[in-house]
Amino acid sequence: MKTMLALLLAAALAASCASSPKRSHGERVLARYEGYIGAPIRDFTAFRQDSWQSVSRTQLILWTDMSHAYLITITGNCPDLMFTDGIRVTSTGSSISTFDSVIVRRHRCPIEEIRPIDIRHMRADEKELRDNPQPA
């Protein structure tokens, strides 16, 4: 009887895991930064564009250095954003604004929204969790 109950519980657990929706790559990326994304801003200063990470066909994270990152939302849909090896971001001098665009291969994708990500706060929280793990 105990074996049958254990098998039924294992089957129910397996079924619930199989039916739970899996998060996409972009959802996992956004979840990491979720509590650290600020309100929309019009522009930011970027003396260089250090790296970037696609989130979806309409969003990417642009790093200007180790402590400054921005969630950039594209107007509409930017073909190939999820699959390209490189992008360019237009700018006026060292300022990137909602009047600029992300260039992906041959496509010019206008920037709709820019939101800063508080990387310093995020790293401090991650360090705190590592230094003071919570009991399970």
Side-chain angles (χ1 to χ4, degrees):
M1 185 66 168
K2 287 182 183 179
T3 305
M4 181 61 92
L5 182 58
L7 287 172
L8 287 172
L9 287 173
L13 181 62
S16 69
C17 289
S19 65
S20 64
K22 293 186 179 189
R23 295 199 307 182
S24 71
H25 166 74
E27 290 170 331
R28 288 190 306 270
V29 170
L30 281 179
R32 177 172 185 219
Y33 300 104
E34 186 174 354
Y36 307 99
I37 298 171
I41 58 175
R42 181 175 292 168
D43 59 19
F44 64 94
T45 301
F47 294 108
R48 66 181 191 167
Q49 298 168 28
D50 195 40
S51 64
W52 67 281
Q53 179 178 20
S54 64
V55 174
S56 68
R57 295 178 82 171
T58 61
Q59 290 183 313
L60 66 112
I61 296 173
L62 179 68
W63 293 80
T64 57
D65 61 40
M66 291 180 61
S67 299
H68 295 91
Y70 301 87
L71 177 64
I72 296 178
T73 302
I74 305 302
T75 301
N77 168 353
C78 194
D80 301 329
L81 181 61
M82 297 290 293
F83 309 107
T84 190
D85 293 337
I87 64 165
R88 279 189 317 115
V89 180
T90 63
S91 62
T92 305
S94 58
S95 180
I96 296 174
S97 75
T98 53
F99 295 110
D100 290 309
S101 297
V102 175
I103 310 296
V104 180
R105 296 185 180 148
R106 300 175 308 277
H107 306 284
R108 178 178 289 271
C109 307
I111 295 174
E112 178 178 316
E113 183 179 76
I114 301 168
R115 290 177 173 258
I117 301 173
D118 191 346
I119 298 301
R120 288 187 177 122
H121 188 184
M122 182 183 84
R123 288 197 177 130
D125 286 351
E126 288 173 347
K127 182 180 184 319
E128 178 71 24
L129 284 174
R130 279 192 310 273
D131 294 347
N132 302 307
Q134 301 298 317

